[in-house]
Amino acid sequence: MAGQVSLFGIRHHGPGSARRLVEALDALKPDAVLIEGPADASELLPMLADPDMVTPVALLTYAEDNPANASFFPFADYSPEYQAARWAVRHGATLRFIDLPASDRLGATDGDIAEEIAARAEADPVSHDPIGALATAAGYDDGESWWSDVIEENPATGPIFAAVADAMTALRADETSLSAREAAREAHMRIEIAKAAKDHDGAIAVVCGAWHVPALAERRSLAADRELLKGRPKTKIKATWAPWTAPRLARASGYGAGVVAPGWCAHVWDTRDRDRAAVWLAKATRVLRDRGHFVSTASVIEAQRLGTALAALRGRPAPGFAELREAAIACLCNGERAMWEDISAELLIGAGVGAIPATTPLAPLLEDLQRQQKATRLKPEALDRPLTLDLRSESGLMRSTLLHRLNALDVPWGRLTDAGRSRGTFRENWQLRWEPEFAVRLVENLLHGSTIAEAAGGRLIEAMGKEAELAPLATLVRNAMIADLSRATAFGIAALETKAALTSDGQSLLGALPPMADILRYGEARAGTVEHLAALMPRIVVQAALALPYAARNLDGPAAAKLRGALLAADAAIQLAQIEPEIVASWRDALSALLNDDQATRLIAGTAARLLYEAELLTADHAADLLTRMLSPGTPVAEAAGFFEGFFEGAGQRLIHDATLRGAVDAWLMTLDEDAFTASLPLFRRVFSALDRTERRRLMDALFARSTDAAKGYRLLAGAGDIWSAHQVRVLELLTSGAAR
């Protein structure tokens, strides 16, 4: 005798659907529970009932030969499928997924996917939004509100599932088209239901999306359904459970079956029969008070009254989150929407991250990550959280190493904010945020190794082997060293030595110095040897010094700007690395050579002069003489402007303190005609933009020693028409007007 089949059409992640489903299962007491989901992952379903399984979690399926080809099937506490699985395990019922196997979805070709997209685009609009169609028929503006009132937040009991089945049957009565995949899905589910009915004498519960109920209730021949499944794509897959996050359950995250407010859904599920509005407003009050806002108890009472009144005016059975949001803004936030926005993400979305049992059959990298999260006491959260690490402590170094290794695997759980530069080499500042797709990225990296360390090292070695440029290679070596990956570090240093010996390009040599200096700097805070690199960097400095005069010649604007940035960074790196004085001297000699090289691009020559001046290798008088020569009337305006920019951009403060430099620049400005001056205004703006308002005023004071009043200075200038012209007055006005900022 075949078992009696009962179909329960639910909304994915609907708390009301979940509650009504549990009630229906308690009444039916089925021998088997069949759930819409990938049939080839059924053996993992019972794990949802494990006490150590903490939602939200997701079933992760991926192609064995291409882990990047993956799919997630999320579950929350309030997901009907999750509650059905727990009920089945608790009552000893057979539990299976019945939808098309994951191998079908993951084995689809690009052509299959394109065909499916086209079919959906041509499908009946009702099939895209059946809930919206029912809401319109009921006089609602949107499907979300209608479904919440009738199903999710309706305290009244009744034949909910029968009513949903009737409504969906009516909607699908005039259905004209169904995509091949949707037809195959429903055929597969009918076949699985028939098998279960044959194998069980007792009741059988089928939990599926409400839209599928009419199709699964139809009587169709097994032969016809099997025909629909012929030629479906297949591939070998693997499946496991992965932690999910509350924000990724939201529809706004791009999850098609998501809900508007996961936090509200969790609240609806958790409160059951308690006063839902009062508890919700109490949560909002607690969060506001935690953020430093004053909220009185009287305001909470008024908010509850207002929420209830709004629901009554709108004909809703109880206040939903829309009514309570408006009540909270009015009564708890003093009408200030900004206050509500400050807490809305925490209340409506949430920041929870799920956890999976230690017995879960994980991909090796996921398993290793779980071990290291436990060892370092780093809990994944879906909310931005700052983390400051002291690398002198064992725990700080362990955490830093893990985060750097994950970054090497393109899993940026943590992002460095300032790399500790503002607070010494022994401190790092991170911003943490866990995203569910990081699990897929770890699976993708299995080809590089089965542990975080092994995979990170393998991936970096592969990247180093492919890198043709010296500077990016040095950055990869730095990443390997900071992540404490000794094999990758040794490989990279050897590659650096080989590539440096074959490189004569000045730009490449200069670009390699900053990451190499960082490696030597981090050697103070991290275990590992950098002796080879300590010997290699001076060699590259010498090579860069030899190549610089040739690299600086006859450059166009973009190339000169790029070389200038590399030159400044390289000089800072040489100072940071504290290499031998004779090596530094050879570098400074190369900078000096640019000052007398007529072919050197003036922007680069000016930058070299600035670096020598800052190193006190050019006296103020020598620098002034140099400026006078480079800015002389016989020098083309474009070349003079380039030298001026190279010397002063980012260092305009020197004009305040050095009268000789200021005099040389003053004399040059006096020689510029109207057109040349106007053409140079963007340059002057860039130089003076580094000065704040006080510094600009001080420069004005220095220029107008007879008066500290800038306005009076303007009048003095304006009266000296035979000496100063109007356009020269304008550049001085830039210094106090704020236009240069």
Side-chain angles (χ1 to χ4, degrees), residues 369-443:
L369 175 62
Q370 207 171 50
R371 284 194 300 265
Q372 296 201 44
Q373 285 172 337
K374 185 176 181 180
T376 57
R377 297 182 180 179
L378 277 177
K379 181 182 178 181
E381 296 176 305
L383 196 65
D384 288 327
R385 184 171 73 86
L387 177 68
T388 297
L389 299 178
D390 186 341
L391 304 183
R392 294 169 295 185
S393 69
E394 183 180 355
S395 63
L397 188 57
M398 282 179 62
R399 290 178 169 190
S400 173
T401 299
L402 173 60
L403 293 172
H404 278 294
R405 287 175 177 176
L406 289 172
N407 276 336
L409 293 171
D410 192 27
V411 179
W413 179 14
R415 299 179 187 273
L416 277 173
T417 54
D418 65 2
R421 285 177 172 79
S422 64
R423 301 178 67 179
T425 61
F426 293 99
R427 193 171 297 275
E428 288 180 341
N429 295 314
W430 295 84
Q431 194 76 11
L432 303 185
R433 184 184 181 92
W434 181 262
E435 300 289 354
E437 60 264 25
F438 293 164
V440 173
R441 295 188 190 177
L442 284 173
V443 171

Side-chain angles (χ1 to χ4, degrees), residues 591-606:
L591 295 177
S592 298
L594 293 176
L595 306 185
N596 300 307
D597 186 348
D598 292 337
Q599 297 183 62
T601 304
R602 296 294 90 184
L603 177 68
I604 305 303

Side-chain angles (χ1 to χ4, degrees), residues 12 64 86 123 137-138 161 164 285 322 329 346 385 425 436 482 485 518 604 615 638 651 696:
H12 303 298
E64 192 173 316
R86 288 174 59 87
F161 294 108
V164 168
T285 300
I329 292 172
E346 183 172 342
R385 184 171 73 86
T425 61
I482 293 174
L485 301 169
D518 272 347
I604 305 303
R696 291 198 297 274

